[in-house]
């Protein structure tokens, strides 16, 4: 396992005013007993609502925050005690922070990082060439970082995090604030990186499209606890997300038919649009039965929506929708 | 895509030479970083020169008012040199106006510094040496040239005075950097460091000999400040070395005192950084 976490906790002491002179101390658990095992080459989505403990976990995994309890190993190292050594073996991208030198051209930052991480010139040049190719850096590599657009800067950040050939790449909201084209570029790059299979990627994001397109495994954290660890399909199966069949009829039926293996979810447009959630039947069976009951004008099959199930997961007080 | 060569970096052991190379590249980046702001350099140098003129005339007036034409033992050429060298050195040492680290602590960006395989104190110091290098060209040379052209400067009599001054100025940079770093690092504990910043500005201006040579004050006070605080080592010491204000023996003592303060301040700086890291709570998400 390249990342191994057992019983990870982080407690913060919060002081609140409790009278004219009195202050009350309260212990808040930002991370409350997280267990996590990540294999080399995995691409893991680590999601949760604001304040769930995602970034706190990431900080403990990278060695910049001391855990209150639990055991953490990243690349076989204890992050806090071996932070400097670990720094050579991991890459980190924080969507809202920059590791580039603000006043210098992007290319200078890359060259500087080569020295800071003591990367052999040939390896550095090879990785940089791949990033230039995949992320289209050439058009703005000569410009100072402060003059780059957010999308350009983020492409620079991704490159900067990879130039020393990290075994694990931690990404904390890397697509925050990006436009669609830049998001797409970042996603394609990460997908390509994952396909190569030698970099483990831990991705924290609020953009569920990132998760859907990139992650095979999803860990959902809420109130500091892991409430789901598995595939997106497993999440849908566990929380009852269903595929849906939506049909538009030529004329309303006298009463929407009850169908075995499907549940009528809604009737709209004066009875002309029916939506059925599939609870066992196939889409074909449902469509065939509906076609038998009345003339169909249009139909569509809607895949389960990750936004929907995750939204319900976040809203539920115990993390169970 | 084949990005990882996992054993490659792990196998490359840190050597002193590799640290020197890292520091050299960070220093070069520090130099380039400041050299991008040329208009600010010109404006800053003009301000230094204006205040240099003011300070010179005030001190010359003081010296002119005495029977021997000496002010606290400095003659006219020594006084003008004292002023103009300090006008440049205050920017080379950057005694005021450095908030980079404090700002990064407050914003949480300091986390990036901690995720690099270089100790933060070393990385900031290397970058500061580069900045100081640029300041020598852009902010030290112009006022000293103006001072030389308008008033004339003191010509050292001893052969070793100029090299000793260079050493003294380098030690002043180390001491000042460490002081600034610790003032900024208080942001790890206090979110608002304006009080500490103000105390630093006040103390460093008064006690470093910038407003007036410390030798204007009673001897017991000067000696106490000189031995008990690092401030005179930042501006008073290099200026006194260059104008040969005291005999050769005491001059060497001044530089030895600076070396001792440089060591104490850097050790304190590393200890502060270490303690800050231990109790690290990064601001924000």
């Amino acid at each position: 396992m390249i990342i191994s976490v057992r019983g990870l906790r982080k407690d913060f002491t919060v002081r609140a005013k409790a009278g004219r002179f009195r202050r009350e101390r309260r212990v808040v658990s930002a991370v409350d007993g997280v267990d996590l095992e990540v294999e080399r080459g995995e691409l893991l989505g680590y999601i949760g609502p604001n304040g769930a403990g995602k970034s706190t976990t990431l900080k403990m995994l990278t060695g910049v925050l001391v855990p209150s309890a639990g055991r953490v190993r990243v690349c076989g190292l204890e992050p806090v005690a071996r932070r400097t050594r670990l720094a050579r073996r991991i890459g980190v991208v924080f969507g809202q922070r920059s590791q580039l030198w603000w006043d210098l051209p992007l290319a200078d930052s890359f060259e500087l990082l080569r020295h800071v991480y003591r990367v052999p010139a040939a390896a550095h040049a090879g990785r940089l060439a791949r990033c230039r190719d995949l992320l289209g850096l050439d058009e703005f590599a000569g410009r100072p970082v402060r003059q780059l657009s957010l999308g350009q800067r983020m492409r620079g950040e991704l490159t900067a995090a990879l130039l020393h050939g990290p075994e694990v790449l931690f990404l904390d909201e890397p697509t925050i604030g990006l436009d669609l084209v830049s998001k797409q570029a970042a996603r394609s790059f990460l997908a390509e990186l994952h396909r190569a299979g030698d970099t483990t990627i831990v991705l924290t994001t609020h953009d569920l499209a990132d998760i859907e397109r990139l992650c095979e495994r999803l860990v959902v954290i809420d109130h500091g606890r892991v409430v789901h660890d598995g595939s997106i399909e497993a999440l849908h199966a566990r929380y009852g997300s269903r595929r849906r069949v939506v049909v538009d009829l030529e004329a309303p039926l006298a009463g929407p038919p009850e169908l075995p293996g499907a549940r009528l979810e809604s009737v709209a447009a004066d009875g002309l649009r029916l939506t059925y959630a599939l609870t066992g039947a196939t889409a074909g069976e449902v469509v065939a039965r509906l076609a038998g009951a009345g003339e169909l004008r249009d139909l569509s099959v809607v895949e389960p929506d990750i936004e929907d199930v995750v939204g319900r997961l976040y809203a539920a007080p115990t993390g169970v929708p | 895509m084949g990005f990882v060569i996992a054993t490659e970096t792990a196998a490359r052991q840190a050597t002193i030479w590799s640290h020197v190379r890292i520091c050299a590249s960070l220093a070069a980046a520090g130099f380039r970083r400041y050299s991008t702001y040329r208009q600010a350099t010109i404006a800053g140098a003009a301000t230094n020169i204006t205040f240099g003129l003011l300070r010179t005339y005030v001190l010359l007036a003081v010296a002119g008012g005495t029977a021997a034409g000496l002010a606290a033992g400095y003659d006219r050429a020594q006084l003008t040199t004292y002023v103009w060298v300090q006008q440049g050195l205050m920017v080379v040492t950057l005694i005021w106006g450095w908030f980079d680290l404090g700002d990064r602590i407050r914003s949480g960006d300091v986390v990036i510094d901690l995720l690099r395989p270089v100790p933060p104190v070393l990385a900031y110091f290397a970058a500061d040496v580069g900045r100081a290098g640029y300041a020598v060209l852009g902010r030290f040379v112009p006022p000293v040239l103006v001072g030389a052209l308008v008033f004339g400067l003191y010509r050292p009599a001893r052969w070793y005075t100029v090299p000793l001054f260079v050493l003294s100025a380098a030690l002043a940079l180390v001491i000042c950097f460490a002081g600034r770093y610790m003032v900024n690092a208080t942001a790890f504990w206090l979110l608002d460091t304006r009080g500490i910043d103000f105390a630093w500005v006040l103390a460093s201006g008064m006690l470093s000999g910038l407003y007036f040579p410390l030798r204007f004050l009673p001897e017991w006070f000067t000696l106490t400040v000189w031995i008990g605080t690092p401030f005179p080592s930042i501006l008073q010491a290099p200026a006194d070395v260059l104008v040969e204000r005291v005999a050769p023996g005491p001059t060497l003592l001044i530089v030895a005192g600076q070396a001792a303060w440089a060591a104490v301040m850097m050790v304190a700086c590393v200890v502060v950084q270490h303690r800050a890291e231990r109790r690290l709570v990064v601001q924000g998400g």
Side-chain angles (χ1 to χ4, degrees), chain B residues 2 21 41 149 177 179 182 197 199 211-212 226 233 241 250 255 262:
Chain B
R21 284 213 309 225
T41 304
L149 288 172
F177 163 79
M182 285 189 275
D197 293 338
Y211 296 157
F212 50 82
W226 205 302
S233 295
V241 168
V255 180

Side-chain angles (χ1 to χ4, degrees), chain A residues 258-277:
Chain A
E258 292 288 330
L259 303 177
R263 188 182 72 243
L264 179 67
E265 276 204 341
S266 69
V267 180
D270 295 330
L272 288 173
R273 172 167 289 180
L274 308 177
T275 303
Y276 285 88

Side-chain angles (χ1 to χ4, degrees), chain A residues 17-220:
Chain A
K17 215 170 167 184
R20 186 166 291 183
F21 301 108
R22 227 160 49 83
R23 281 181 162 243
E24 207 172 66
R25 284 172 54 139
R26 203 159 48 88
V27 175
V28 178
S29 293
V31 174
D32 189 6
V34 165
D35 296 325
L36 192 65
E37 301 282 325
V38 184
E39 282 188 58
R40 193 176 287 274
E42 260 194 277
L43 201 172
L44 175 83
Y46 193 66
I47 67 167
N50 289 329
K54 304 181 299 292
S55 296
T56 308
T57 311
L58 236 54
K59 282 176 191 159
M60 289 191 280
L61 291 181
T62 51
V64 292
L65 197 60
V66 183
S68 304
R71 179 185 180 280
V72 186
R73 291 290 179 277
V74 178
C75 304
L77 301 171
E78 193 205 329
V80 173
R82 297 273 173 269
R83 196 185 69 226
T84 311
R85 270 181 69 185
L86 183 64
R88 293 186 187 284
R89 299 176 64 180
I90 62 171
V92 185
V93 175
F94 290 109
Q96 290 168 307
R97 311 199 190 293
S98 180
Q99 61 192 309
L100 305 167
W101 279 261
W102 198 242
D103 312 279
L104 298 180
L106 188 58
D108 286 21
S109 282
F110 296 154
E111 184 57 21
L112 204 46
L113 287 168
R114 177 171 88 77
H115 292 289
V116 168
Y117 285 92
R118 304 205 312 270
V119 185
H124 174 86
R127 292 183 195 123
L128 185 56
R130 286 188 206 107
C131 289
R132 272 170 37 196
D133 196 32
L134 289 166
L135 290 167
L137 302 175
D138 285 338
E139 55 178 305
F140 53 86
R143 259 188 260 157
V145 173
R146 63 185 141 82
Q147 290 178 8
L148 300 182
S149 72
L150 186 59
Q152 290 170 334
R153 184 172 71 74
M154 191 47 65
R155 284 187 261 172
E157 299 282 355
L158 281 170
T159 305
L162 286 167
L163 286 174
H164 57 288
E167 292 163 66
V168 186
L169 180 61
F170 292 99
L171 302 161
D172 191 1
E173 301 190 31
T175 56
I176 194 164
L178 296 188
D179 63 36
L180 275 176
V181 177
S182 300
K183 268 186 191 174
Q184 199 51 49
R187 280 180 199 142
S188 309
F189 178 75
L190 292 174
E192 181 65 34
L193 186 66
H194 176 52
R195 255 195 299 281
D198 48 9
T199 311
T200 308
I201 304 173
V202 178
L203 170 65
T204 285
T205 183
H206 283 300
D207 190 330
L208 295 173
D210 290 346
I211 297 288
E212 238 175 349
R213 287 182 204 162
L214 291 170
C215 303
E216 295 139 7
R217 181 177 165 200
L218 182 63
V219 172
V220 186

Side-chain angles (χ1 to χ4, degrees), chain B residues 56-283:
Chain B
T56 312
Y57 283 120
V58 169
L59 287 181
L60 288 181
V62 173
T66 62
L70 294 174
Y74 297 90
D75 66 21
R76 185 189 154 88
Q78 285 175 317
L79 279 177
T80 53
T81 306
Y82 182 96
V83 168
W84 290 100
V85 162
Q86 279 194 347
Q87 286 304 104
L89 266 188
M90 65 182 286
V91 187
V92 174
T93 57
L94 197 61
I95 194 161
W96 295 331
W98 188 73
F99 306 106
D100 289 16
L101 176 65
D103 289 345
R104 285 178 75 79
I105 295 167
R106 271 184 291 278
S107 69
D109 285 352
V110 72
V111 75
I112 300 284
D113 303 334
L114 300 180
L115 286 169
R116 293 212 166 111
V118 187
V121 174
L122 187 66
Y124 275 95
F125 180 63
D128 204 54
V129 168
R131 178 206 57 74
Y134 177 70
V136 167
L137 298 180
R139 301 291 297 275
F140 181 85
V141 171
V144 170
L145 272 179
V146 169
L149 288 172
V150 178
F151 300 97
L153 297 181
Y154 176 81
R155 283 168 195 270
R158 303 169 199 150
W159 66 267
Y160 55 82
T161 290
V162 171
L164 200 61
F165 164 73
V166 173
L167 174 65
S168 173
L171 290 169
L173 172 64
V174 175
I175 296 164
C176 191
F177 163 79
R180 282 186 271 125
Y181 193 95
M182 285 189 275
V183 167
N184 273 250
T186 55
F188 277 113
W189 288 272
L190 313 166
L191 282 182
D192 187 352
T193 62
R194 278 175 294 187
I196 308 277
D197 293 338
F198 184 71
W200 168 265
V201 168
L202 199 67
S204 60
M206 290 286 290
L207 303 179
S208 68
L210 177 65
Y211 296 157
F212 50 82
L214 287 176
R215 292 176 198 282
F216 279 27
L217 300 170
E219 198 177 334
W220 65 267
F221 181 80
T222 308
L223 206 63
T224 310
V225 169
W226 205 302
I227 294 169
T229 79
F231 299 112
S233 295
I234 298 173
L235 292 177
Q236 174 88 37
D240 273 2
V241 168
L242 187 64
V243 304
E244 298 174 335
R245 171 62 183 74
V246 289
T251 302
L252 288 175
L253 260 182
I254 287 175
V255 180
Q258 281 186 289
W261 265 115
V264 168
M265 293 289 279
M266 279 310 261
V267 168
C269 204
V270 170
V271 169
V272 165
Q273 175 67 26
H274 187 68
R275 296 196 67 153
E277 284 177 23
R278 278 187 55 171
R279 64 148 291 162
L280 180 74
V281 177
V282 178
Q283 294 297 304

